[in-house]
Amino acid sequence: MKTATRKEQIIKTAAKLFKEKGYAAVTMRDIAKALDIKAASLYNHITSKQDILKYVIISLAEEFTNGMNTIYNSSESNIHKIDQIISLHVDIAYRNPYQMASLNNDWMHLEKDVTYYLELRDSYEDNFRKIIKNGIETGELTDANPEVILFSILSALRNLYLWIPKKEDVNPAELSNNLSQVLINGIINK
Amino acid sequence: MKTATRKEQIIKTAAKLFKEKGYAAVTMRDIAKALDIKAASLYNHITSKQDILKYVIISLAEEFTNGMNTIYNSSESNIHKIDQIISLHVDIAYRNPYQMASLNNDWMHLEKDVTYYLELRDSYEDNFRKIIKNGIETGELTDANPEVILFSILSALRNLYLWIPKKEDVNPAELSNNLSQVLINGIINK
DNA sequence: CAAATAAACTAACAACCGTTAGTTTTGTAA
DNA sequence: TTACAAAACTAACGGTTGTTAGTTTATTTG
């Protein structure tokens, strides 16, 4: 087990604070205080506040896009691909409960990198949309509005970070199964 | 049709900016500039920046809680109650696309009123949870994890504000129907 | 031990923040 | 036209922001 570098500690601490109050409301002095050092000392490890946000968000966004590409290019059924997307989100949210907040709520404060972030997000959503539309065409999925399907599933998955920390006892595999059941099979008892 | 007071214009303009960048990143000078006046002039109409946030969030939160109370206390089936909750969210999100962002993302910046906000939110969620649990007991709903059901539906509904502005052509009733179909019946073609 | 490097510190900066005080302009009613 | 109120303005305040410069302390390496 590699010990965390000081830079990694700073980023993790910052992400925790960003989740609580958002990027703009967290000051460099807040981050420093949480690490029991002075704000100026942070600059021995990072180049700017903006730099911290970039590290928090971009690595996560790339992980989602890479995971989606692998799933999209596999030769499984579309239903199974959706199952795998759910697992991807649960897994990443479990490992990065703080960063997920910034990914969802603070991406617009990425100054130089906001374009790259939006490219990653669009690519991700396009692949998901194609899986859903293909699933409807093959008859695997009901002929509902594909945008409503995409949006409903994606909203639930993107908000997992708000919910996972409350349930320390639930394990990721079980949560993935429960989510698949609800999101794919619905909740009505037929 | 009543013409909007200056205070209402300020709140609406502020909410629009809050949606784009979040409460903390929007300055009084930003709000004033969007209205083509000077920041100091805002104070002829509102008492503080905090006051604006309170007006944006609390009225909406009360509308949700009141709507939920009406639905909860009705004598319809639990499935029908869930349908009505979906319609409630679509209706409010349609009429308040900007304020919804602050309700979701900026409530923690309510200084004096954060406790009241959390009471409203907890009350809302508790009623929703009871409807779901009751639906499972009566056999209307499948015996899935009630927290997963609650969380999945609530996440989709709370994120409607991100999605509605893109779809000017969809009408609220149709969107409610599509959402009910997806969230209640699921997406698999049985 | 000596030298070099990493990582903390103090002090300060220019810019920006929410807000106030006091004044001027604008619109309306008598 | 005069009088009044509403709503804008200018100027400035004390505090906070991200960041830099220069220095000291702690740790690692030869």
Side-chain angles (χ1 to χ4, degrees):
Chain A
M1 176 124 69
K2 187 167 66 107
T3 61
T5 67
R6 199 67 170 136
K7 180 168 184 172
E8 287 165 346
Q9 288 175 23
I10 290 170
I11 290 166
K12 184 174 178 179
T13 302
K16 208 176 292 195
L17 295 173
F18 292 167
K19 182 182 177 184
E20 287 171 21
K21 309 198 294 175
Y23 173 77
V26 174
T27 71
M28 296 302 277
R29 287 166 180 82
D30 289 337
I31 299 169
K33 193 160 216 170
L35 290 159
D36 218 14
I37 61 176
K38 300 292 174 183
S41 305
L42 294 169
Y43 289 84
N44 287 314
H45 308 280
I46 50 96
T47 68
S48 65
K49 189 187 179 191
Q50 180 68 200
D51 185 52
I52 298 176
L53 186 67
K54 177 181 156 183
Y55 271 92
V56 170
I57 291 183
I58 296 295
S59 58
L60 255 199
E62 287 175 340
E63 197 172 344
F64 274 109
T65 300
N66 292 340
M68 173 60 90
N69 284 339
T70 302
I71 293 168
Y72 180 76
N73 291 317
S74 74
S75 42
E76 303 281 352
S77 70
N78 290 297
I79 289 280
H80 189 257
K81 284 179 181 176
I82 294 173
D83 260 337
Q84 286 189 288
I85 293 168
I86 292 171
S87 293
L88 176 71
H89 273 265
V90 170
D91 178 52
I92 294 179
Y94 243 82
R95 288 186 288 102
N96 308 275
Y98 308 120
Q99 289 96 315
M100 285 300 303
S102 296
L103 186 71
N104 278 333
N105 303 320
D106 285 324
W107 58 267
M108 72 288 285
H109 298 119
L110 286 170
E111 293 163 12
K112 230 173 56 71
D113 302 287
V114 69
T115 307
Y116 177 53
Y117 163 82
L118 288 174
E119 284 170 8
L120 291 173
R121 195 182 69 173
D122 288 348
S123 160
Y124 181 93
E125 290 183 2
D126 279 347
N127 283 340
F128 204 163
R129 187 178 287 107
K130 285 179 195 161
I131 291 170
I132 291 168
K133 285 186 173 175
N134 203 260
I136 294 173
E137 284 169 16
T138 63
E140 291 170 86
L141 302 183
T142 56
D143 189 19
N145 185 321
E147 293 298 320
V148 173
I149 294 176
L150 172 64
F151 168 80
S152 297
I153 297 179
L154 219 35
S155 294
L157 297 181
R158 283 179 173 159
N159 279 286
L160 275 170
Y161 77 99
L162 289 172
W163 192 62
I164 282 184
K166 299 183 194 168
K167 305 273 157 190
E168 305 250 349
D169 48 336
V170 175
N171 74 20
E174 188 184 330
L175 177 57
S176 290
N177 285 339
N178 287 340
L179 276 169
S180 290
Q181 188 193 342
V182 169
L183 294 175
I184 295 177
N185 295 308
I187 62 172
I188 201 166
N189 194 11
K190 293 174 200 167
Chain B
M1 176 124 71
K2 186 167 67 104
T3 61
T5 67
R6 200 67 170 135
K7 180 168 184 172
E8 287 165 347
Q9 288 175 22
I10 290 170
I11 291 166
K12 185 174 178 179
T13 302
K16 209 176 292 194
L17 294 173
F18 292 167
K19 181 182 177 184
E20 287 170 21
K21 308 199 293 175
Y23 173 77
V26 174
T27 71
M28 295 303 277
R29 287 165 179 84
D30 289 337
I31 299 170
K33 193 161 216 169
L35 290 159
D36 219 14
I37 60 176
K38 300 292 175 182
S41 306
L42 295 170
Y43 289 84
N44 286 316
H45 307 281
I46 50 95
T47 68
S48 65
K49 188 188 180 192
Q50 180 68 201
D51 185 51
I52 297 177
L53 186 65
K54 178 181 156 184
Y55 271 93
V56 170
I57 291 184
I58 296 295
S59 58
L60 255 199
E62 288 175 341
E63 197 172 345
F64 273 109
T65 300
N66 292 339
M68 173 60 90
N69 284 339
T70 302
I71 294 168
Y72 180 76
N73 291 317
S74 74
S75 42
E76 304 281 350
S77 70
N78 289 297
I79 289 280
H80 189 256
K81 285 178 180 177
I82 293 173
D83 261 337
Q84 287 189 289
I85 293 168
I86 292 171
S87 294
L88 176 71
H89 272 265
V90 170
D91 178 53
I92 294 179
Y94 244 82
R95 289 186 287 103
N96 308 275
Y98 308 121
Q99 289 96 314
M100 286 300 303
S102 296
L103 185 71
N104 278 335
N105 302 320
D106 285 324
W107 58 266
M108 72 287 285
H109 297 119
L110 286 171
E111 292 164 11
K112 232 172 57 72
D113 302 287
V114 69
T115 307
Y116 177 53
Y117 163 81
L118 288 172
E119 284 170 8
L120 291 173
R121 195 182 69 174
D122 288 347
S123 160
Y124 181 93
E125 291 183 2
D126 280 346
N127 283 339
F128 203 163
R129 187 177 288 109
K130 284 178 195 163
I131 291 170
I132 291 167
K133 285 187 174 175
N134 203 260
I136 295 173
E137 283 169 17
T138 64
E140 291 169 85
L141 301 183
T142 55
D143 190 18
N145 185 321
E147 293 298 320
V148 174
I149 295 176
L150 173 64
F151 167 79
S152 298
I153 297 179
L154 219 37
S155 294
L157 298 181
R158 282 179 174 160
N159 278 288
L160 276 170
Y161 77 98
L162 289 172
W163 192 62
I164 281 185
K166 298 184 195 166
K167 305 271 156 191
E168 304 250 350
D169 48 336
V170 175
N171 73 19
E174 187 183 330
L175 177 56
S176 290
N177 284 339
N178 287 341
L179 276 169
S180 289
Q181 189 194 341
V182 169
L183 295 174
I184 294 177
N185 295 307
I187 62 171
I188 200 166
N189 194 10
K190 292 174 200 168

